[in-house]
Amino acid sequence: MKKIASILFLLMATVVCFAQEEANDSINKPSKFASWTISDAFQAEAGFAGSYWKPTFNIALDKEGYYCVVNLYNQSGYYSIDRETLPHLYLKTDDGRIVDLEMDGDEPVHKFYLKGYYAARVWMPGRYVTRFIYFIPDIDEFLSNYYVKYRVWLGEGFKDVEMSKSYSKKFNNRLKDAANQATSEYETKKHSLNNPLETRWRN
């Protein structure tokens, strides 16, 4: 219904670790599905030690609405999912409320592998990426909250992260920046994105 599955092929997620762009994390899109935009990725946890393995967030936008995209990284393999339970993203606000984002029932969990590479003569090993795409019912309401903790719940387990006071400010600012970036790019390209035939006839 929301056609989230097409985002797998359309997603151009640039993963940012300490503001350094990682070229490996990209998925080329077929032009006929050009109906979306996506923000740069940002690190979802504070700290320098082991940051290469920490989750990253994106905000995506297509003609159906906004999505929160979460990438979980692992060195040994993909994360396991309870097939009988849809993955959730829980975000706790500073006033104690829980915002629950759920994946669409028809949306698969996306899994792919990023090859290792050298960065400043340091070998960055390959990573298994488990990607979740959650629909955001109301982007304005979603961004009006101030988040201090989040949980990626997989049914059989979860990754629970409580952000420090200083980092939660960065996290919330980056979340808004990501939404603004996706919105700005979508507004700029909206006419041709929603009419892919026009792009073809111009070429």
Side-chain angles (χ1 to χ4, degrees):
M1 181 177 176
K2 302 182 181 71
K3 299 181 181 176
I4 312 175
S6 64
I7 294 183
L8 170 63
F9 305 101
L10 315 178
L11 211 50
M12 302 282 290
T14 305
V15 175
V16 177
C17 291
F18 315 121
Q20 292 184 1
E21 185 175 296
E22 182 183 318
N24 280 334
D25 190 12
S26 64
I27 300 176
N28 293 325
K29 62 177 181 178
S31 60
K32 67 179 180 178
F33 289 122
S35 62
W36 65 280
T37 54
I38 186 166
S39 71
D40 294 332
F42 66 90
Q43 189 177 311
E45 294 180 50
F48 289 92
S51 64
Y52 186 68
W53 305 104
K54 295 191 177 191
T56 53
F57 279 30
N58 295 78
I59 296 295
L61 170 62
D62 73 359
K63 60 184 180 181
E64 301 292 345
Y66 288 86
Y67 308 85
C68 185
V69 182
V70 180
N71 300 302
L72 298 184
Y73 304 96
N74 201 341
Q75 189 171 11
S76 57
Y78 302 109
Y79 281 83
S80 61
I81 312 298
D82 182 350
R83 295 183 178 275
E84 296 182 359
T85 307
L86 291 176
H88 288 251
L89 173 64
Y90 297 107
L91 299 108
K92 186 175 183 179
T93 66
D94 58 346
D95 58 2
R97 291 180 297 109
I98 303 296
V99 175
D100 177 8
L101 299 184
E102 182 177 313
M103 292 184 64
D104 186 277
D106 297 326
E107 172 65 6
V109 173
H110 307 306
K111 300 178 180 180
F112 56 97
Y113 183 75
L114 298 178
K115 294 181 179 179
Y117 63 95
Y118 279 99
R121 298 184 179 182
V122 176
W123 174 247
M124 312 299 285
R127 291 181 291 176
Y128 292 89
V129 184
T130 309
R131 171 173 287 166
F132 306 92
I133 302 176
Y134 307 91
F135 183 67
I136 302 174
D138 186 327
I139 188 64
D140 293 327
E141 181 179 346
F142 180 71
L143 295 176
S144 68
N145 297 310
Y146 189 88
Y147 300 109
V148 296
K149 186 176 183 178
Y150 74 86
R151 172 184 293 183
V152 179
W153 187 74
L154 308 179
E156 296 178 343
F158 59 86
K159 184 172 183 60
D160 208 353
V161 178
E162 186 165 3
M163 293 175 278
S164 66
K165 184 176 180 179
S166 61
Y167 194 79
S168 62
K169 182 178 181 180
K170 294 180 181 179
F171 177 87
N172 285 274
N173 287 338
R174 290 172 181 176
L175 195 63
K176 291 179 174 63
D177 289 344
N180 289 337
Q181 181 186 355
T183 303
S184 176
E185 292 182 3
Y186 187 80
E187 289 299 318
T188 300
K189 305 172 183 178
K190 181 168 58 177
H191 185 67
S192 61
L193 289 175
N194 287 322
N195 298 277
L197 287 178
E198 277 205 18
T199 304
R200 185 170 66 177
W201 285 116
R202 287 175 184 170
N203 294 335

